[in-house]
Amino acid sequence: MKFSKRSLKASAFTGSLLLPSLAMAEDTLNSGDTAWMIVATALVLFMTIPGLSLFYAGMVRSKNVLSVLMQCFTITAVMSILWAVYGYSLAFGDGGSMNAYIGGMGKAFLSGVTVDSLSGSIPESVFLTFQMTFIIITPALIVGAFAERMKFSAMMIFMILWVTLVYAPVCHWVWGGGFMGADGVLDFAGGTVVHINAGVAGLVAALVLGKRKGFPSTAMPPHNLPLTVMGTGMLWVGWFGFNAGSELAADGAAGMAMLVTQLAAATSAVVWMLIEWMKHGKPSALGIVTGAVGGLVAITPASGFVGPMGAIAIGVAAGAICFLGATTLKRVMGYDDSLDAFGVHGIGGIVGAILTGVFAAPSLGGAGFADGKTMATQVWAQSQSVIITIVYCAIVSFIILKVLDAIMGLRVDEEEETMGLDLALHGERGYNN
Amino acid sequence: MKWVIAIIKPFKQDDVREALTAAGIQGITVSEVRGFGRQKGHTELYRGAEYQVDFLPKLKIEVAVDDDMVDATIEAIQKGAKTGKIGDGKIFVLDMSTAVRIRTGETGPSVL
């Protein structure tokens, strides 16, 4: 019976008041765990800069290549500071009577974090830096949905408000001692917190901002697919830190998380390629790498709970359903999610979150359900967590965007959009020859 | 004097240059161009979004020759550029009134 260790360790902060002896028994530094978590933290940072940045940069037109790189890089810097000032406290601090929903400000400015403070078997500095890389990549994922048309200033303010009002609470619900973790929802490395959250916020942003000028009648092919393929490779490698690191220890479960991550990504990549090959006659590089990312997303919530064959099954589902999400759904619904943040991360996150409830079954090679849960009640708990995240994230994202649109405007003007955001907003070009 | 312009498939550049050299042509000018003829363009597909690409990359070869070399030039280009498939390109021949060598100022067929 296995919950995410992340929530167990987070609850040790609050639990230590009631059970000091237990907390002290758990809080012994393990150098193996610490070494692995420092590496895992670096791997997850590597996913955003440069992995995700390049993945996105290759897919936009050449006149906007710097704008997406710049957005991802700036998010990385700003979120790091925000996390230290109050983000970590809101997500992992003790919220007192409100703890089911949000953490408190007791750890604001990293109050109490010293060289000696521990979180489980690793230094708290390592734990909070690992978590910092998650609040960096989540808003960076949203960038893909509104690429090539959003003002840089509005984008930054949106991201600051969004992580404060959406990411931090949802992170607290699942991992910080909030109600979802307490309800036995299984989200090992961030299916709801990271991917559904980012995907839904991206979809709402794409709808509120409207389509790019000329979409879909004008051709907007990716300007440099080799960057996208390279970026995907970096994402894939970094994902070992994301998923196996979410065990917060160097143990068997971390090893299994690594194995299932590899299998799901590989399966989803192959499935996407085969579907595309059959449907359109040619297997494409953009197709196989998108399939790989879909598989990585879908295995994220499941990675600590399923076995290798469950991972392959999740990979098949992710490849097929994300294919529909990125190719068909967008066209049918008519929204312009530029780089498929929703089609891949939103859809892949939902597939993974729900299937975690199926393939965690010991009979299917999984590690077992949360206490007292059967497959049916686990799937129900997973589905509820998906629905709550979608509804909460969609409503709050919509309100933030509408308010910002009224105050400062979200979109660049038509001339700037035609010129390209690189020159219009940043005064430079990606390529000078 | 004639001005011979050929639009060919880019990968046939070396074959055409060799054929022209063998025919005794002293100099050519080559540029990368885009266009379409009866071959039409092609489609590209990115995550299900299909784009019609109307303009295909082609190579434009320009050769200035004296009248007695025109047939040999056309023959050489045709020999070098032909694959037998649609899109091999075309050769156009224009009359040319003057040719000047910038270095010396001399004019006429001896410049070519």
Side-chain angles (χ1 to χ4, degrees), chain A residues 10-11 13-14 83 86-96 98-108 124 127 168 172 175-178:
Chain A
S11 63
F13 300 138
T14 52
W83 190 244
Y86 65 85
Y88 175 60
S89 189
L90 276 184
F92 289 96
D94 180 4
M98 292 292 289
N99 199 48
Y101 304 102
I102 188 74
M105 293 304 277
K107 286 183 174 283
E124 190 175 3
F127 175 75
H172 184 79
W175 295 327

Side-chain angles (χ1 to χ4, degrees), chain A residues 232-282:
Chain A
T232 312
M234 294 170 190
L235 276 172
W236 190 334
V237 170
W239 227 291
F240 286 146
F242 199 89
N243 286 356
S246 288
E247 170 65 5
L248 301 173
D251 60 13
M256 184 57 80
M258 178 171 163
L259 172 61
V260 297
T261 299
Q262 181 71 10
L263 287 173
T267 307
S268 181
V270 169
V271 166
W272 184 302
M273 182 191 74
L274 291 177
I275 293 176
E276 192 177 41
W277 203 344
M278 286 188 284
K279 195 168 167 208
H280 300 296
K282 287 177 182 169

Side-chain angles (χ1 to χ4, degrees), chain A residues 292-310:
Chain A
V293 173
L296 288 163
V297 169
I299 196 66
T300 294
S303 53
F305 309 113
V306 302
M309 296 308 118

Side-chain angles (χ1 to χ4, degrees), chain A residues 59 219-220 222 280 290 327 331 339-340, chain B residues 43-52:
Chain A
M59 281 190 277
M220 297 178 181
H280 300 296
T290 311
T327 62
R331 239 148 292 284
L339 314 179
D340 299 307
Chain B
T43 56
E44 292 178 15
L45 194 73
Y46 300 98
R47 286 188 183 161
E50 196 168 291
Y51 298 123
Q52 177 68 33

Side-chain angles (χ1 to χ4, degrees), chain A residues 110-416:
Chain A
L110 301 185
S111 163
V113 177
T114 65
V115 172
D116 298 318
S117 46
L118 291 178
S119 170
S121 62
I122 62 174
E124 190 175 3
S125 59
V126 175
F127 175 75
L128 81 89
T129 313
F130 180 70
Q131 295 300 337
M132 184 190 284
T133 61
F134 283 64
I135 202 181
I136 288 169
I137 197 165
T138 309
L141 290 169
I142 305 173
V143 165
F146 56 69
E148 304 196 294
R149 59 194 184 283
M150 192 169 187
K151 275 187 190 169
F152 183 72
S153 54
M155 187 282 303
M156 277 322 305
I157 297 173
F158 168 70
M159 289 306 181
I160 290 169
L161 293 173
W162 188 83
V163 296
T164 307
L165 299 173
V166 181
Y167 181 86
V170 176
C171 179
H172 184 79
W173 298 348
V174 180
W175 295 327
F179 71 94
M180 278 190 189
D183 287 348
V185 172
L186 302 177
D187 184 357
F188 194 69
T192 47
V193 181
V194 175
H195 295 289
I196 296 177
N197 237 349
V200 170
L203 178 62
V204 172
L207 290 169
V208 173
L209 267 94
K211 299 168 191 175
R212 283 168 294 175
K213 189 172 165 278
F215 181 88
S217 54
T218 315
M220 297 178 181
H223 92 283
N224 189 336
L225 281 180
L227 289 185
T228 300
V229 177
M230 262 191 284
T232 312
M234 294 170 190
L235 276 172
W236 190 334
V237 170
W239 227 291
F240 286 146
F242 199 89
N243 286 356
S246 288
E247 170 65 5
L248 301 173
D251 60 13
M256 184 57 80
M258 178 171 163
L259 172 61
V260 297
T261 299
Q262 181 71 10
L263 287 173
T267 307
S268 181
V270 169
V271 166
W272 184 302
M273 182 191 74
L274 291 177
I275 293 176
E276 192 177 41
W277 203 344
M278 286 188 284
K279 195 168 167 208
H280 300 296
K282 287 177 182 169
S284 76
L286 179 61
I288 194 167
V289 299
T290 311
V293 173
L296 288 163
V297 169
I299 196 66
T300 294
S303 53
F305 309 113
V306 302
M309 296 308 118
I312 288 176
I314 287 174
V316 170
I321 298 172
C322 289
F323 180 86
L324 290 175
T327 62
T328 310
L329 185 66
K330 183 163 83 162
R331 239 148 292 284
V332 171
M333 305 292 284
Y335 55 86
D336 183 12
D337 173 4
S338 318
L339 314 179
D340 299 307
F342 179 74
V344 176
H345 294 275
I347 303 276
I350 293 166
V351 169
I354 292 171
L355 290 183
T356 300
V358 176
F359 292 101
S363 57
L364 297 171
F369 301 116
D371 263 331
K373 292 252 193 294
T374 62
M375 188 186 290
T377 54
Q378 187 70 56
V379 168
W380 175 234
Q382 300 297 112
S383 307
Q384 274 181 308
S385 77
V386 168
I387 292 164
I388 293 168
T389 307
I390 291 174
V391 170
Y392 178 77
C393 174
I395 291 172
V396 179
S397 304
F398 181 79
I399 293 170
I400 299 172
L401 287 162
K402 280 294 182 188
V403 169
L404 283 181
D405 198 17
I407 296 172
M408 62 189 301
L410 296 171
R411 268 186 94 127
V412 295
D413 65 35
E414 204 176 314
E415 189 183 342
E416 291 172 318

